[in-house]
């Protein structure tokens, strides 16, 4: 049974865009974790796995919220770009985190305007994680 839609179509679409990105990076980082032949070795490899799992949890959290609001969560990831060299991998990851930060600020703003406090709060929590990821990848990029 489909529920009542509680927010605008635009906000639901933004949430689905967020889910597609979370699924993408979840797989992307996990496959990078597997293919990593790093100068920094084990520590980075483990961190990639940890971040991949965090992204999957984000996907779940957002999908749950979207479904509650009356939308149907997408199963389609955005294009997954693993990269061949370490530099390619991390350059792509920095970009993806930047895009996530930009999108999540937009979602927080829109959710607040629609008086959807819970969605705004959820994305504030997720945004903190993305800023940490961005920080990790940019620092790493300086070393490779
Ligand atoms: Fe995420
Ligand atoms: Fe992230």
């Amino acid at each position: 049974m489909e529920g009542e839609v509680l927010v605008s179509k635009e906000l639901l679409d933004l949430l689905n865009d967020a889910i597609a990105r979370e699924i993408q990076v979840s797989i992307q980082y996990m496959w990078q974790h597997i293919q990593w032949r790093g100068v920094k070795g084990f520590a980075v490899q483990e961190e990639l796995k940890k971040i991949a799992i965090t992204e999957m949890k984000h996907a779940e959290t957002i999908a749950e919220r979207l479904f509650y609001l009356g939308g149907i969560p997408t199963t389609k990831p955005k294009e997954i770009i693993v990269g061949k060299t370490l530099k390619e991998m991390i350059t792509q990851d920095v970009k993806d985190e930047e895009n996530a930060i930009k999108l999540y600020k937009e979602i927080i703003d829109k959710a607040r305007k629609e008086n959807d406090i819970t969605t705004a709060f959820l994305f504030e929590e997720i945004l903190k994680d993305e800023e940490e990821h961005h920080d990790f990848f940019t620092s790493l990029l300086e070393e490779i």
Side-chain angles (χ1 to χ4, degrees), residues 16-32:
N16 249 334
D17 193 21
I19 292 166
R21 285 165 194 276
E22 293 291 354
I23 305 170
Q24 173 218 334
V25 290
S26 174
I27 299 167
Q28 185 171 302
Y29 300 162
M30 193 60 89
W31 280 194
Q32 289 173 344

Side-chain angles (χ1 to χ4, degrees), residues 22 25 54-55 58 97 100 104 126 129-130 133:
E22 293 291 354
V25 290
T54 301
E55 308 295 18
H58 290 165
E97 294 296 335
Y104 296 175
I126 293 172
D129 290 342
E130 311 305 8
H133 301 163

Side-chain angles (χ1 to χ4, degrees), residues 4-86:
E4 188 190 349
V5 176
L6 303 169
V7 293
S8 70
K9 167 93 168 59
E10 290 78 41
L11 185 53
L12 294 182
D13 288 346
L14 288 173
L15 294 186
N16 249 334
D17 193 21
I19 292 166
R21 285 165 194 276
E22 293 291 354
I23 305 170
Q24 173 218 334
V25 290
S26 174
I27 299 167
Q28 185 171 302
Y29 300 162
M30 193 60 89
W31 280 194
Q32 289 173 344
H33 153 75
I34 287 165
Q35 293 176 40
W36 186 265
R37 298 272 182 271
V39 275
K40 311 209 86 190
F42 193 67
V44 172
Q45 221 190 1
E46 279 312 291
E47 191 61 26
L48 280 167
K49 181 176 167 183
K50 221 176 89 188
I51 297 176
I53 293 168
T54 301
E55 308 295 18
M56 184 49 84
K57 287 180 182 164
H58 290 165
E60 192 268 343
T61 302
I62 302 166
E64 198 169 50
R65 184 67 190 160
L66 175 68
F67 189 69
Y68 170 80
L69 291 171
I72 300 293
T74 184
T75 56
K76 292 187 184 65
K78 293 265 171 189
E79 190 189 358
I80 298 162
I81 304 168
V82 176
K84 287 187 193 76
T85 63
L86 299 181

